[in-house]
Amino acid sequence: MKSKELALIFLAGLGLAALMACETGDTCDIRTSGIRVDYEAIEEGGSTRARAQFMYKGTSLELGNCGDTIEVNGVRLNSVGNEFPVTYEANVDATAEGEFVFSFNREDEGPFTSTTSLPDTFAITAPADGDSFSRAEAIDITWDNSDGDFMNVVVDADHLLDFDETPSDTGAHTIAADSIETFSDHEDEDIQADLILTRELDGTVDPIFDNGSTCLGKVIDQISFTSTP
């Protein structure tokens, strides 16, 4: 078989895999006990949004037209266009007790409630927004109001490889030299990147949902910086 034909077969296979990877199902077809939920209440930039995703054995689920809805503190979450997995989201205020109560409603059963709260707020104190750092050098990060648990540290940019660490929440962490890497052909470029810190707090999930379901409260702070060779 010619190399051109092999290439076409390979590309066709990739296209089929992509379609399968983005396949979605319908919650109306799934018993509540078979649904895995991923709930988040996220505070960032002075506001809080609630997010919900529904899965069944690795397949993303859309809320079907059978009366299935998701609300948080009485606010209906709506589908966010073109996101995968399918995501439902809305800006929501906490209750007087500081809680976010996720209510999955079905016409013939429920509602099924899961609850979380936000962890303590914090702010990145170093580096400063707009700083520049060589990828060959270490980056010292500090933040206030440490609580002794864990902090998720992410560096995100179009031309950088995924970078994600979870150090202890002591108020300080160092990204080691040479641990931030670019994609090939971008090694000599200055790259605009985001440094994102996230603190999480586990909530409680209604026990009817599938194992692996989560309900998290998150507080996020971030700054932008330039990653240089």
Side-chain angles (χ1 to χ4, degrees):
M1 188 177 291
K2 295 180 180 180
S3 59
K4 185 176 181 180
E5 293 173 330
L6 287 170
L8 289 172
I9 292 172
F10 176 71
L11 289 173
L14 287 179
L16 179 61
L19 286 173
M20 293 176 65
C22 293
E23 191 175 310
T24 61
D26 190 316
T27 56
C28 298
D29 300 326
I30 309 297
R31 292 181 178 179
T32 308
S33 58
I35 296 174
R36 192 194 81 199
V37 299
D38 292 303
Y39 294 151
E40 296 179 327
I42 306 166
E43 181 184 286
E44 183 177 16
S47 64
T48 304
R49 65 187 186 276
R51 292 168 58 93
Q53 296 175 343
F54 303 88
M55 304 288 292
Y56 174 70
K57 295 183 177 179
T59 298
S60 178
L61 299 177
E62 299 180 89
L63 295 177
N65 295 320
C66 57
D68 288 353
T69 63
I70 179 66
E71 297 180 351
V72 178
N73 295 350
V75 177
R76 176 80 65 89
L77 306 192
N78 298 307
S79 177
V80 179
N82 300 320
E83 280 208 19
F84 188 85
V86 178
T87 301
Y88 295 84
E89 185 173 301
N91 288 336
V92 179
D93 292 327
T95 66
E97 295 76 26
E99 294 182 332
F100 295 86
V101 182
F102 290 75
S103 180
F104 181 52
N105 308 296
R106 316 198 86 171
E107 282 191 347
D108 56 348
E109 57 177 331
F112 304 101
T113 58
S114 306
T115 304
T116 192
S117 302
L118 295 175
D120 292 338
T121 58
F122 70 94
I124 298 171
T125 53
D129 194 66
D131 281 353
S132 295
F133 298 95
S134 168
R135 291 183 285 276
E137 298 176 348
I139 303 176
D140 292 324
I141 306 167
T142 59
W143 59 93
D144 62 10
N145 200 26
S146 60
D147 73 354
D149 201 347
F150 295 95
M151 182 70 74
N152 183 239
V153 178
V154 168
V155 175
D156 182 61
D158 288 341
H159 300 308
L160 294 179
L161 297 176
D162 290 342
F163 179 89
D164 188 336
E165 295 182 333
T166 309
S168 296
D169 191 352
T170 60
H173 178 64
T174 298
I175 297 177
D178 298 316
S179 59
I180 297 176
E181 301 177 279
T182 69
F183 289 113
S184 59
D185 300 327
H186 296 281
E187 295 90 345
D188 298 326
E189 296 179 6
D190 290 353
I191 297 173
Q192 297 303 307
D194 294 319
L195 172 67
I196 306 166
L197 270 60
T198 304
R199 177 179 286 163
E200 296 185 0
L201 182 67
D202 288 331
T204 59
V205 180
D206 193 299
I208 195 170
F209 291 119
D210 191 33
N211 290 337
S213 295
T214 60
C215 187
L216 301 174
K218 295 184 175 182
V219 173
I220 298 175
D221 193 28
Q222 64 178 297
I223 59 100
S224 296
F225 71 99
T226 302
S227 177
T228 65

